[in-house]
Amino acid sequence: MKVGIDKLHFATSHLYVDMAELATARQEEPDKYLIGIGQSRMAVIPPSQDTVTLAANAAAPMLTAADIEAIDLLIVGTESGIDNSKASAIYVARLLGLNRRVRTIEMKEACYAATAGLQLAQDHVRAHPDKKALVIGSDIARYGLNTPGEPTQGGGAVAMLVSADPQVLALGTESCVLSEDVMDFWRPLYHTTALVDGKYSSNIYIDYFQDVFKGYLQKTGMQPEDLAALVFHLPYTKMGLKALRSALPLVDDAQQASWLAHFEHARQLNRQVGNLYTGSLYLSLLSQLLTDDKLKAGDRLGLFSYGSGAEGEFFTGELQPDYQAGLDVGLPQRLARRQRVSVSEYEKLFNGQLAWRADDQTIDVADDPHRFVLTGQQDEQRQYLDREA
Ligand code: COA
């Protein structure tokens, strides 16, 4: 039985900052951000969006009434959640109008958690093929203004519907995982921005990729050439390129050229959004599938998921005949239509998020066009609005 990703959708904000403009404001060469980091635009998440609204905005457009009826598992992977106790998945389930008999949990392991969710969802559907699982990676990447990590911020959510006979990608049952206690990136409870040893984390990422990629090939007997393309977690798109380059010595010149050409498609949309932590690998998958017309049904893709701290996993999936039908086909146009904000507007929005305080707060949602918005906090409870309710 084939099980895997049946539908794949994405949501971010309607605002972005231009990376060349940000570089100039930070007294850096624009090419450092555009080429050295590999980012052109960075999503600016306004105070009216949080990981709950981003998740609901990603999933709602792709779900039919039949999907909603069949979903009995909702997993939200996030490392920028809004509560230390209650799962964001509970809010998301309510906003999406899911069945009350749904199991709802939030998972955390830095940028890796959505992959853990996807694998658990796969096992769940294999055990209950008439059911569907919804897995969402939703995050706002915040390193802080004027920090080295600033050009690798961004945010958004990717929603994946997991089912039997999936339209998009049939997942393999084998994978190779590595997890060890590494202090490359973390966020103590009292911090709103991440602590990171940037260079160290980039090196660990490559080490993990090498370990689980080679471990996967050894375990399955698969050859590197069996993989039409490699898709990476992209905290910034140069990171994936570095990992890909580290794999090139394993294949001949023609395969190297092919992987490099496919990678340009895999990073196209991430280049316009920036980091979204848990959803980043899956935005790259969407980018690959939406923009790369050299791929065809039956092609096997290799996926590398990485979460600092650290955990990595390499797994593969086979493209299905109707894969375009399950994708968020309007996404490239939506990203192109976003509104540019200046660096000072971005800084104001960055600092304007709901404060971690107990008092009632109101957020102006007038300029936010999304269906689900955060309107503020009352009696220490976040207030969400569904504009279609
Ligand atoms: N033109 C082209 N490239 C340029 C350039 C220019 N004018 N100026 C600098 N660069 C290149 C550098 O050579 C470097 O490339 P390399 O990594 O291939 O050597 C790149 O731009 C970044 O420059 P660097 O000086 O290393 O940047 P930095 O010290 O400001 O930090 C990060 C970069 C990624 C470490 C930092 O943004 C960060 O900490 N990010 C968050 C951590 C992260 O995302 N980790 C990934 C694992 S999850």
Side-chain angles (χ1 to χ4, degrees):
M1 179 180 47
K2 288 184 176 177
V3 172
I5 301 172
D6 186 56
K7 296 182 185 177
L8 186 61
H9 269 236
F10 175 68
T12 184
S13 96
H14 56 296
L15 307 173
Y16 74 91
V17 68
D18 180 81
M19 292 301 279
E21 200 180 323
L22 181 62
T24 305
R26 301 295 182 246
Q27 280 91 48
E28 298 280 7
E29 289 278 323
D31 278 354
K32 174 175 172 181
Y33 290 2
L34 300 173
I35 300 167
I37 301 279
Q39 295 298 137
S40 304
R41 294 177 171 182
M42 187 169 84
V44 173
I45 310 297
S48 49
Q49 292 291 319
D50 67 6
T51 47
V52 167
T53 57
L54 288 167
N57 283 318
M62 73 178 188
L63 298 179
T64 63
D67 292 333
I68 288 176
E69 184 59 31
I71 292 169
D72 69 347
L73 174 64
L74 168 62
I75 300 175
V76 175
T78 185
E79 55 177 302
S80 47
I82 49 129
D83 194 291
N84 288 327
S85 174
K86 180 166 172 165
S88 50
I90 296 268
Y91 295 100
V92 175
R94 194 242 303 162
L95 293 175
L96 294 175
L98 296 190
N99 200 311
R100 286 169 61 234
R101 304 259 178 238
V102 64
R103 187 176 284 149
T104 48
I105 50 168
E106 178 174 308
M107 295 182 67
K108 177 168 66 185
E109 186 355 67
C111 304
Y112 167 76
T115 299
L118 186 62
Q119 297 293 15
L120 292 177
Q122 174 182 190
D123 290 345
H124 176 74
V125 172
R126 285 190 191 283
H128 309 278
D130 56 324
K131 297 295 181 192
K132 297 183 182 186
L134 180 60
V135 179
I136 308 175
S138 183
D139 273 302
I140 302 171
R142 288 168 66 90
Y143 289 92
L145 304 177
N146 281 298
T147 61
E150 184 181 31
T152 65
Q153 296 181 145
V158 178
M160 296 177 272
L161 188 66
V162 177
S163 75
D165 301 321
Q167 290 181 101
V168 179
L169 195 72
L171 294 169
T173 48
E174 291 290 351
S175 77
C176 187
V177 183
L178 176 64
S179 94
E180 287 165 326
D181 187 0
V182 178
M183 292 307 283
D184 60 334
F185 171 113
W186 66 107
R187 185 164 67 84
L189 291 176
Y190 47 84
H191 271 282
T192 57
T193 52
L195 304 179
V196 61
D197 186 338
K199 297 263 156 58
Y200 182 49
S201 76
S202 301
N203 291 336
I204 299 281
Y205 175 114
I206 303 278
D207 292 348
Y208 265 60
F209 167 64
Q210 282 287 325
D211 188 294
V212 295
F213 179 47
K214 289 179 180 159
Y216 179 87
L217 295 176
Q218 206 169 24
K219 192 172 174 182
T220 59
M222 221 177 261
Q223 299 301 311
E225 298 76 16
D226 295 334
L227 300 170
L230 297 179
V231 188
F232 294 89
H233 165 55
L234 294 179
Y236 52 100
T237 75
K238 177 77 166 289
M239 185 72 252
L241 182 60
K242 288 184 187 190
L244 177 60
R245 284 177 178 155
S246 78
L248 295 181
L250 296 178
V251 293
D252 65 18
D253 289 356
Q255 187 70 57
Q256 291 188 11
S258 172
W259 276 356
L260 286 165
H262 284 303
F263 178 74
E264 289 309 316
H265 292 283
R267 70 163 159 172
Q268 197 168 307
L269 301 184
N270 298 66
R271 191 176 243 296
Q272 306 296 323
V273 174
N275 198 357
L276 53 140
Y277 291 161
T278 45
S280 164
L281 166 64
Y282 301 99
L283 175 60
S284 182
L285 175 62
L286 245 181
S287 180
Q288 183 92 70
L289 301 183
L290 285 172
T291 70
D292 190 346
D293 59 14
K294 295 274 188 310
L295 288 174
K296 56 185 187 323
D299 279 346
R300 184 162 290 281
L301 306 181
L303 292 96
F304 173 60
S305 179
Y306 177 76
S308 291
E311 186 147 353
E313 182 162 351
F314 190 87
F315 58 105
T316 67
E318 187 195 348
L319 264 187
Q320 297 303 292
D322 261 343
Y323 71 88
Q324 290 288 341
L327 303 179
D328 186 350
V329 286
L331 175 58
Q333 290 75 17
R334 287 206 310 281
L335 291 180
R337 282 200 307 265
R338 286 174 303 168
Q339 188 185 322
R340 177 171 169 163
V341 296
S342 66
V343 172
S344 60
E345 284 168 298
Y346 141 67
E347 289 175 344
K348 200 169 149 217
L349 290 164
F350 187 94
N351 291 325
Q353 296 222 329
L354 204 63
W356 297 107
R357 288 197 317 261
D359 51 325
D360 290 355
Q361 300 168 55
T362 304
I363 292 170
D364 181 1
V365 298
D367 292 334
D368 189 326
H370 293 95
R371 173 174 166 184
F372 300 105
V373 288
L374 172 67
T375 60
Q377 174 175 293
Q378 225 178 332
D379 301 327
E380 301 200 51
Q381 297 173 25
R382 288 194 167 219
Q383 304 295 310
Y384 294 108
L385 172 68
D386 174 359
R387 291 194 162 115
E388 291 181 16

